Amino acid sequence: MFDKKIFSVLVILLTLIACARPNYSQVSPGNGDNSNSNNSDSNQNQKVTSPTECHLPFLKEKLCVELVWNNIPSDSEYGSFDLKFFEAERPQVAVNPGHEVGITLWMPKMGHGSGPVKITNVSEGIYKIDQVYFVMPGQWQIRIQLKGAGADSVIDQVIQEYTF
Amino acid sequence: MLSIKLFKNILFSLTATTLFTTSIAAGSACCGGGISIPTIITGDDKQILTTSLAESTVDTFVGSDGIWRKTQDQDRSFIFRLDIARIFSENFQIGVSLPFQERTKTGLQGGNSAGLSDISGQIGYEFMPDKEYNLWKPHGVGYVSLVVPTGKSVYDVKNSGSPEVSGRGLWSLGVGAVFTKYWIYLDAITVIEAHQYLDRTFSNDQLHGTVSAGRGYSSLIGLGFNSSNYRLGASISWIYEDPIEISGLNSSTGSLQRFATGTLSVSRMMPEQMGVTVSYSDQMLFGDPTNTALSRSVLISLQKKWER
């Protein structure tokens, strides 16, 4: 009888002490708050082709890039965005970045990426990025990279934070 | 009296071993991760063979910000597991676990895949035998374990959301201890464990660099109520993993991972030293999870034992 009481009390105590307290997100994937690593301005859903400021600067290459979403990715649909490379003094004019452009969708807290995207060079300094997809909800980074000769060589990169 | 004690011992060791298997089923959080708690012989048996089938469904992702986000896609795994443990000298034992996973995901990058997960092995030493009954002194078995990354990891595939992912991708060495105790109708179990991941370098489409996952720790406490040929068990396990640091092309410092798993199980002892267990595990009930995926699992296991 005593053992049964101990058992019951222990089970109840452990259960109460250890209970989880879920804090569910009120935002569905694809509609989160997003900002770049250097500036908190949101670029989502903008239809901008003539940027006025350099929100995403490549510090080594002295270039800027603007990211404009065409389609926000969701669980059921790939996203796409445009990139425009320009010099800070002349934001109206797109310039060739001079290196191969790479995009990595990276989840820094978990230490892994998502999947490869499709990169199309539309015109000088303008790139279209398709098949943008995040494999799980959470905090992601869109890493825009200027690549070197080797597959593992990155000359410069900027990071756009993204919450999916 | 001796036969009753022997029976209790057999029943407990049967169900206690099953508890470990149950915790394994729910131990895999994100990306084929989680640790492997081994099958350890805690009773008077020479050999134990356990087969189990678990169905696990990912329900929610929890970020490092503590925000819970329901998954929209279905991510379901069937894990068939074969565990064998055998005494090979007075106090030493050896065990191996072979898990096979079939995983189905819906969504844009969904699909179906099946293959071997990470296999593990362990060597145990009974450092605290219970040859004479004591009301409080537990029976203790220590062990060292090795996890071999035979499953495909998130670092091995092109799309990290691929259903092919079935392992952690890293070797790990662990050390732990299992303590068990029984009192007439009740039994209790405690497991403590620590493991160290070995750094590994990858070079593929996704990753050119070194993965350093550091250390991890886990613990489990469980209680059981025994009546006739049945045992009703409940346990909670906690798992902590160091941040995963990536160096190289896409470097990042990571964030710690933490989750708890609650398990309820019912076991029945059958003739011929066999037993069956059905259990339910839920990672959404306990603890303060962070940076992980939370699953619910149902497991059925069949166990055969051979006496010394």
Side-chain angles (χ1 to χ4, degrees):
Chain A
M1 196 65 183
F2 178 68
D3 288 336
K4 284 183 182 175
K5 280 184 181 172
I6 293 176
F7 178 78
S8 304
V9 169
L10 278 174
V11 169
I12 292 168
L13 274 177
L14 282 171
T15 305
L16 291 176
I17 291 169
C19 272
R21 292 172 180 79
N23 178 20
Y24 280 102
S25 170
Q26 303 301 313
V27 182
S28 58
N31 294 312
D33 295 327
N34 304 291
S35 59
N36 64 50
S37 58
N38 303 314
N39 192 299
S40 60
D41 288 353
S42 172
N43 284 333
Q44 212 164 295
N45 285 330
Q46 292 176 346
K47 286 286 180 191
V48 178
T49 53
S50 297
T52 55
E53 289 182 66
C54 183
H55 293 303
L56 293 169
F58 289 93
L59 299 177
K60 289 181 195 165
E61 293 297 298
K62 305 212 181 328
L63 269 179
C64 298
V65 66
E66 186 195 36
L67 187 156
V68 181
W69 284 99
N70 299 316
N71 294 304
I72 303 296
S74 68
D75 288 304
S76 57
E77 203 174 342
Y78 286 109
S80 71
F81 58 81
D82 291 337
L83 293 179
K84 177 183 176 181
F85 292 86
F86 58 95
E87 291 169 344
E89 310 83 62
R90 294 191 303 158
Q92 300 86 358
V93 182
V95 296
N96 189 332
H99 302 280
E100 184 189 350
V101 175
I103 300 290
T104 299
L105 309 177
W106 192 252
M107 197 169 208
K109 301 295 184 184
M110 285 200 170
H112 63 72
S114 184
V117 298
K118 185 183 172 191
I119 303 173
T120 308
N121 188 189
V122 177
S123 60
E124 184 166 300
I126 305 289
Y127 292 79
K128 188 168 193 297
I129 315 299
D130 291 306
Q131 296 183 352
V132 178
Y133 179 72
F134 300 100
V135 297
M136 63 178 70
Q139 295 155 302
W140 286 85
Q141 291 179 341
I142 300 168
R143 297 186 170 191
I144 305 164
Q145 297 163 330
L146 299 179
K147 300 182 114 178
D152 57 347
S153 168
V154 170
I155 292 168
D156 204 351
Q157 75 169 355
V158 294
I159 296 173
Q160 170 84 46
E161 305 288 344
Y162 191 88
T163 301
F164 181 62
Chain B
M1 190 64 187
L2 183 65
S3 62
I4 292 173
K5 185 187 170 188
L6 184 64
F7 173 75
K8 294 289 184 191
N9 209 348
I10 290 168
L11 179 60
F12 173 69
S13 58
L14 163 78
T15 49
T17 311
T18 310
L19 264 178
F20 303 158
T21 311
T22 304
S23 67
I24 291 167
S28 178
C30 174
C31 319
I35 60 142
S36 176
I37 298 175
T39 301
I40 292 284
I41 297 173
T42 56
D44 297 328
D45 310 296
K46 184 179 182 182
Q47 182 170 290
I48 296 177
L49 177 68
T50 308
T51 58
S52 64
L53 180 66
E55 181 192 0
S56 180
T57 305
V58 175
D59 183 275
T60 297
F61 292 98
V62 184
S64 56
D65 54 2
I67 303 294
W68 294 41
R69 299 172 176 93
K70 283 270 182 190
T71 175
Q72 305 297 313
D73 297 332
Q74 192 175 60
D75 185 352
R76 180 191 290 179
S77 299
F78 287 95
I79 302 162
F80 174 75
R81 189 177 185 99
L82 189 66
D83 299 89
I84 187 163
R86 183 181 173 87
I87 302 287
F88 67 91
S89 76
E90 177 67 20
N91 299 103
F92 283 94
Q93 57 180 281
I94 189 167
V96 176
S97 297
L98 296 169
F100 300 88
Q101 175 179 295
E102 183 192 7
R103 191 174 176 194
T104 305
K105 287 187 75 175
T106 61
L108 286 174
Q109 296 183 345
N112 183 279
S113 184
L116 187 64
S117 297
D118 292 347
I119 63 174
S120 62
Q122 66 280 329
I123 293 175
Y125 176 73
E126 184 185 39
F127 66 93
M128 199 181 284
D130 58 351
K131 287 173 182 164
E132 290 182 3
Y133 185 76
N134 180 292
L135 187 60
W136 299 110
K137 185 184 169 192
H139 174 242
V141 179
Y143 64 87
V144 292
S145 64
L146 173 71
V147 177
V148 182
T150 46
K152 275 193 178 176
S153 76
V154 72
Y155 314 113
D156 294 311
V157 295
K158 209 169 185 178
N159 294 303
S160 60
S162 164
E164 290 176 281
V165 174
S166 63
R168 194 162 177 108
L170 301 171
W171 293 77
S172 79
L173 290 166
V175 58
V178 181
F179 297 94
T180 53
K181 190 68 198 170
Y182 63 91
W183 305 273
I184 309 177
Y185 295 108
L186 300 177
D187 60 65
I189 181 170
T190 300
V191 183
I192 52 172
E193 185 265 0
H195 50 276
Q196 170 75 51
Y197 292 103
L198 306 184
D199 293 358
R200 191 173 171 196
T201 300
F202 293 85
S203 185
N204 53 40
D205 289 339
Q206 186 192 166
L207 185 63
H208 292 274
T210 301
V211 179
S212 306
R215 294 190 182 121
Y217 309 92
S218 68
S219 60
L220 177 147
I221 56 169
L223 294 168
F225 177 76
N226 303 279
S227 178
S228 183
N229 286 340
Y230 289 90
R231 176 184 184 270
L232 176 64
S235 70
I236 305 177
S237 65
W238 290 269
I239 291 178
Y240 167 92
E241 302 284 2
D242 275 348
I244 297 172
E245 189 175 329
I246 309 289
S247 56
L249 178 57
N250 282 303
S251 59
S252 53
T253 52
S255 181
L256 67 89
Q257 183 186 60
R258 183 178 60 214
F259 60 94
T261 305
T263 300
L264 276 176
S265 64
V266 180
S267 302
R268 187 180 192 281
M269 190 179 177
M270 299 189 298
E272 306 290 326
Q273 295 284 311
M274 294 189 71
V276 63
T277 294
V278 176
S279 70
Y280 170 75
S281 297
D282 199 320
Q283 297 180 330
M284 301 176 64
L285 300 176
F286 301 107
D288 181 19
T290 183
N291 202 33
T292 186
L294 303 178
S295 304
R296 291 190 173 104
S297 306
V298 177
L299 174 144
I300 183 165
S301 73
L302 186 66
Q303 192 169 75
K304 166 69 179 169
K305 300 167 53 151
W306 289 265
E307 288 183 75
R308 285 196 213 191

